[in-house]
Amino acid sequence: MKPSIVFLIAFLSVLPLRGQSEERPPNIVIIMADDLGWNGLGCYGSELAQTPCLDQLAAEGMRFTDAYALSQCLPTRAAIFSGQYGARTGLTSVETSSPGYAPMISPGRPKALEPEVYTLFEMLRDAGYKTGMSGKLHLGGPLNTNSALKNKNRGMEYLHDYGLQWAGTATPNRNDKNVSAITDDIIEFIEENRDGPFIAYAAHRSPHMPLEVPPSSVQRAVDRGFKRSSNPRGLFSERVTADYVAMIEYLDSSIGRITDKLDELGIAENTLLLFLSDNGGLTRVWKNDPLRGGKGQLYEGGVRVPFIVRWPTKVKAGSTCTAPVHVVDLFPTFMDLAGAQPRKDQILDGVSLVPLLKQTGSFARDAIFSHHPEYVVGYAKTPCSMVRKGNYKLIHYFGDYLDPTGCVPGGAGALYGRFILGSRTELYDLKQDPGETQNLANDMPQVAEELMADLESWWSSTGARMPMPNPNMDRSKWKWNKND
């Protein structure tokens, strides 16, 4: 046989071996809770809710202590899909307008995440992933996958625009906020696409209000000494109730069903599973202590969220990451893992978390930002922005401020706080004061000026829509509580 033929045969015989040795991109499972506070899990210090499945997930993976979302549902979900801050997409709040007599006029926002935005799921689809989700969509159009599928004019086409190839109905609701149905859907999708790679997104509506959970789960919490709630919307005077604790615990059990399925299919080793919440806990029904504030606000209780990643072959079990991260980081992270590239005209505001997950290389994060130019009356938030850089965090209120010190919301949707007219800047050292009790703006003016300059530069680079003074402000109508 000629030497050239022998060489060719030898070369061809090696090719399959090389191909087999190439690292497969991981499957990705995202499980999102709705309004779960940073301290809502046992692995984050909760002594109220019992969360063995999520505690086990943290023991087998990495727990992030300083992970950030936006302060409400829609902005966080849009940021995950787009990889961009709400200041860039315009999706900064659920609310679309301000009270006509308020001190500031909010700039408004787009109705929904624009279809031309190249989403996380489109990127992964183009990289060869199967993409599917079930549950709360909330990008400004249909609230959930079921309502999107029922749309007579577009149906699945609407979901395709965002890169989703498969969607579950998230039904029926078994008196459990659709938790079991969403979990059923995600398990079905995983089974159908077990050969991978796939991304499965379980977007839950729990423990968001109203309270809804099987009576047997509530009874278990009652047996431990918690009282039943008298109002399905929750009352501040009753927090924390058996019903709310039961919602967290019931959600926790659903995570166990998904991890068990991954184990059963033999694909857990190469599956990255992420659990997080879309914003902080609602203070009417949950105590975010030691963090200040809650859902709808830019204090830590409103924007810092539980964030756990398990990836057995790559992430060290039982590890903890204290670096500040943000939900906009998910797009570049998954793009990195999929070996994909951004579009030429695409701007991503996040940073890949792969160096943190693998504990190799450097993590280039300068600062984290958030922009909320709208009023969220029910959550005591006036138009404001924030920046965190290192241990320091600055919050800037544009024209008025609500000081909730000493005030509490009396019931569902109640207003609270002491109204203060005029702009305001607050500075906190989160390392020394995670509860944001000491405003250092006057004590450390140079730090405050530096962070304010960073914030102003960021507004400019993102094209942030800004609130403006309202010439029609009517102070007599602008009442936050009976003492105003």
Side-chain angles (χ1 to χ4, degrees):
M1 186 178 292
K2 294 183 178 180
S4 59
I5 296 177
V6 173
F7 174 79
L8 179 61
I9 293 173
F11 175 75
L12 293 174
S13 67
V14 171
L15 286 180
L17 296 176
R18 291 181 60 189
Q20 291 169 7
S21 66
E22 291 179 0
E23 189 172 284
R24 285 174 55 84
N27 304 311
I28 300 167
V29 177
I30 303 174
I31 303 174
M32 179 178 282
D34 198 349
D35 290 5
L36 177 65
W38 174 81
N39 64 346
L41 309 177
C43 55
Y44 279 87
S46 176
E47 297 180 352
L48 300 176
Q50 296 178 353
T51 54
C53 295
L54 284 164
D55 295 348
Q56 181 64 27
L57 196 73
E60 296 173 353
M62 179 176 287
R63 182 178 66 90
F64 288 75
T65 63
D66 292 44
Y68 288 85
L70 288 92
S71 69
Q72 285 184 281
C73 310
L74 185 153
T76 289
R77 295 162 200 274
I80 290 173
F81 269 71
S82 66
Q84 297 177 342
Y85 285 118
R88 194 179 300 279
T89 64
L91 296 171
T92 51
S93 178
V94 174
E95 289 72 20
T96 58
S97 61
S98 298
Y101 45 81
M104 304 294 290
I105 301 174
S106 297
R109 65 163 175 82
K111 291 183 177 180
L113 184 65
E114 300 293 344
E116 59 265 24
V117 173
Y118 188 59
T119 71
L120 167 68
F121 294 91
E122 287 180 289
M123 178 273 293
L124 289 173
R125 178 201 63 196
D126 294 345
Y129 276 68
K130 297 296 183 182
T131 62
M133 78 165 286
S134 180
K136 189 171 180 178
L137 190 63
H138 210 190
L139 298 174
L143 181 61
N144 53 55
T145 52
N146 187 40
S147 56
L149 290 169
K150 287 183 176 179
N151 187 294
K152 295 181 180 179
N153 297 322
R154 303 197 66 201
M156 193 65 201
E157 181 186 346
Y158 176 86
L159 298 168
H160 284 161
D161 286 346
Y162 292 118
L164 292 163
Q165 299 166 309
W166 184 96
T169 62
T171 58
N173 182 6
R174 303 180 179 96
N175 192 34
D176 64 355
K177 220 68 182 285
N178 302 95
V179 167
S180 60
I182 291 170
T183 304
D184 290 343
D185 287 342
I186 293 302
I187 287 176
E188 176 186 340
F189 176 77
I190 291 172
E191 287 179 327
E192 291 178 358
N193 297 279
R194 67 184 70 185
D195 293 335
F198 63 78
I199 177 169
Y201 175 31
H204 288 288
R205 299 192 302 118
S206 187
H208 194 289
M209 292 297 98
L211 298 162
E212 187 177 20
V213 66
S216 58
S217 298
V218 178
Q219 185 60 51
R220 282 192 288 272
V222 170
D223 292 342
R224 302 204 313 268
F226 291 97
K227 294 183 179 181
R228 297 179 186 272
S229 176
S230 66
N231 187 320
R233 301 295 303 178
L235 295 175
F236 183 90
S237 59
E238 295 180 347
R239 68 172 190 174
V240 172
T241 66
D243 306 68
Y244 193 77
V245 168
M247 289 179 76
I248 297 175
E249 295 179 348
Y250 188 83
L251 178 63
D252 178 77
S253 67
S254 75
I255 277 77
R257 291 181 56 204
I258 292 176
T259 55
D260 287 348
K261 178 57 64 173
L262 294 173
D263 291 337
E264 175 190 320
L265 297 175
I267 58 176
E269 290 297 300
N270 197 36
T271 297
L272 185 154
L273 194 157
L274 164 67
F275 175 85
L276 74 162
S277 180
D278 60 348
N279 48 249
L282 180 64
T283 55
R284 192 172 71 243
V285 293
W286 184 254
K287 302 175 182 179
N288 292 307
D289 304 344
L291 304 183
R292 178 179 177 180
K295 176 182 179 178
Q297 301 175 336
L298 293 189
Y299 295 113
E300 293 293 284
V303 292
R304 195 186 293 199
V305 296
F307 193 102
I308 302 168
V309 176
R310 187 191 75 168
W311 186 12
T313 58
K314 301 296 180 182
V315 173
K316 183 180 178 181
S319 54
T320 300
C321 180
T322 60
V325 300
H326 195 279
V327 293
V328 294
D329 297 331
L330 296 181
F331 196 124
T333 299
F334 296 154
M335 183 174 66
D336 195 355
L337 296 177
Q341 296 294 326
R343 288 186 170 179
K344 291 182 179 180
D345 59 346
Q346 186 177 16
I347 297 175
L348 293 177
D349 289 319
V351 182
S352 174
L353 302 180
V354 171
L356 295 179
L357 296 173
K358 295 184 177 181
Q359 297 182 331
T360 59
S362 59
F363 178 63
R365 156 61 45 69
D366 181 39
I368 283 175
F369 300 89
S370 200
H371 182 58
H372 295 252
E374 300 87 3
Y375 286 90
V376 186
V377 176
Y379 303 140
K381 184 185 73 62
T382 61
C384 55
S385 284
M386 64 152 273
V387 53
R388 174 175 175 176
K389 191 174 186 179
N391 293 323
Y392 290 104
K393 173 182 172 183
L394 179 142
I395 302 176
H396 177 73
Y397 291 90
F398 290 98
D400 55 338
Y401 167 72
L402 201 66
D403 179 8
T405 303
C407 299
V408 297
L415 309 180
Y416 60 101
R418 182 168 59 91
F419 176 79
I420 302 173
L421 184 63
S423 63
R424 176 182 175 91
T425 299
E426 300 176 358
L427 177 69
Y428 300 102
D429 181 347
L430 296 180
K431 184 176 182 180
Q432 301 298 327
D433 180 26
E436 296 169 293
T437 61
Q438 300 295 322
N439 181 6
L440 303 175
N442 292 330
D443 298 330
M444 306 181 70
Q446 289 184 330
V447 176
E449 290 173 6
E450 177 187 340
L451 292 184
M452 193 66 208
D454 290 337
L455 191 56
E456 291 172 347
S457 177
W458 178 76
W459 288 336
S460 177
S461 66
T462 58
R465 297 171 171 86
M466 306 299 285
M468 301 297 292
N470 184 4
N472 299 316
M473 174 194 170
D474 187 340
R475 181 68 181 86
S476 66
K477 295 181 179 179
W478 195 231
K479 291 182 180 294
W480 290 85
N481 62 47
K482 63 182 180 181
N483 296 319
D484 274 349

